[in-house]
Amino acid sequence: IRTMITELHETHQMKERLAEAKIRELQMQMNPHFLFNTLSLVIRSIQLGERDTSIQLVKAISKILRSSIEINTVSIPLDAEIELLQSYLYIQKLHLKGRVTFCLDVRKSFMDEDVMIPPLTIQPLVENALYHGIKNKRGRGRIWVRGYAKEDMAVLEVEDDGAGMTEEEMEAVRRKLRGEKDLAFQEGPAPKGGFGLFNVAERLRLNYGSRCSLEFKSVLGLGTRAVVNIPLESGYDREGED
């Protein structure tokens, strides 16, 4: 019995180490993706001859680059994530010249709980709202970023008033988020959302297992809302993932 207990303990530890290694691998993929997309804004600004804007963008991106390089853990404090997000929003405000209004409302009610989340969790959701929601809308747009405690969960929401999605498009996104890679494109529309969105979903799954969720609600023509639920307590949950 002691031998079996030892073997089970070692197997559990190995699973945790493999999961952490996979999370780090996904994080390494996420950093250059994030920086590449951000640097592309500088290139466009330079091409348009917007010298002052280009200088401001480079300064803001250098701050993000420094923060990104310093991130070497699988999770960071929520306030550090918000600080990184604010730099990204500043860059987008410069680039979009007032076409989009960002409303950041992260409540302080659970800050004392020392909430830890995977780095670059919120930014890809904002990027997704910009390029798959607001970009396809005529006129000005608005994006809300909310964070609050609900029971034993930290809830993070990113909502836009952009183009929205049909139910068929929503189902394609759900299939992709569930990891149904072979089925996602067989029938119906291709899922909206890029590499960053599905990278976030995979890192959340590996970090928290069944205790975490990433959900989307959308109405065609009215916008989309992404909701992330993360346990306030730390730790792994591998139940049902053998």
Side-chain angles (χ1 to χ4, degrees):
I1 291 174
R2 288 177 179 173
T3 301
M4 290 178 64
I5 291 174
T6 300
E7 290 177 350
L8 287 171
H9 180 67
E10 290 175 349
T11 300
H12 179 73
Q13 286 183 324
M14 184 175 294
K15 284 184 177 181
E16 287 197 351
R17 287 196 294 268
L18 287 172
E20 185 169 333
K22 181 61 176 177
I23 293 170
R24 290 184 182 278
E25 178 188 351
L26 290 168
Q27 181 59 33
M28 289 175 66
Q29 295 173 2
M30 193 65 207
N31 285 345
H33 169 80
F34 171 52
L35 293 171
F36 174 80
N37 283 359
T38 310
L39 286 169
S40 67
L41 301 180
V42 178
I43 295 173
R44 293 175 200 167
S45 180
I46 293 173
Q47 289 174 336
L48 293 172
E50 300 171 341
R51 180 180 177 277
D52 293 339
T53 300
S54 300
I55 292 173
Q56 290 177 291
L57 283 172
V58 170
K59 288 180 179 179
I61 290 173
S62 65
K63 180 179 179 180
I64 292 179
L65 176 60
R66 183 167 57 253
S67 299
S68 179
I69 291 174
E70 291 173 355
I71 293 174
N72 56 7
T73 61
V74 297
S75 61
I76 61 174
L78 179 58
D79 55 353
E81 173 79 355
I82 295 301
E83 185 177 347
L84 186 63
L85 175 66
Q86 287 175 323
S87 296
Y88 175 77
L89 296 181
Y90 174 74
I91 290 170
Q92 289 293 351
K93 286 177 183 178
L94 286 176
H95 174 66
L96 296 170
K97 296 178 174 54
R99 288 171 47 208
V100 180
T101 300
F102 296 101
C103 304
L104 183 60
D105 178 19
V106 180
R107 299 180 186 176
K108 303 293 184 181
S109 59
F110 56 84
M111 287 303 184
D112 292 337
E113 299 289 338
D114 194 25
V115 179
M116 303 292 288
I117 66 173
L120 292 175
T121 294
I122 304 176
Q123 180 274 332
L125 301 180
V126 174
E127 183 178 69
N128 192 69
L130 276 171
Y131 291 102
H132 296 281
I134 303 299
K135 184 179 178 180
N136 297 320
K137 174 186 178 178
R138 298 182 62 182
R140 293 172 56 86
R142 187 181 296 267
I143 293 177
W144 295 265
V145 179
R146 309 182 186 95
Y148 54 92
K150 185 178 181 181
E151 297 178 351
D152 59 344
M153 305 293 285
V155 183
L156 305 171
E157 297 182 353
V158 176
E159 182 178 2
D160 67 75
D161 61 355
M165 289 183 276
T166 65
E167 184 55 38
E168 291 77 13
E169 289 172 330
M170 278 299 307
E171 182 57 32
V173 171
R174 295 188 188 106
R175 290 199 304 266
K176 189 70 181 290
L177 290 177
R178 289 196 299 263
E180 299 176 16
K181 298 177 182 178
D182 294 333
L183 300 176
F185 301 105
Q186 286 184 0
E187 296 180 0
K192 292 184 177 181
F195 165 82
L197 175 63
F198 304 112
N199 180 291
V200 168
E202 182 67 4
R203 285 187 290 130
L204 289 172
R205 186 187 69 80
L206 288 169
N207 243 318
Y208 305 102
S210 59
R211 300 181 300 157
C212 176
S213 65
L214 170 58
E215 303 168 352
F216 283 82
K217 301 176 182 179
S218 186
V219 177
L220 187 64
L222 296 179
T224 302
R225 179 170 58 180
V227 182
V228 179
N229 292 282
I230 296 177
L232 285 173
E233 76 281 4
S234 60
Y236 291 89
D237 178 10
R238 302 287 174 240
E239 181 181 354
E241 292 188 13
D242 292 341

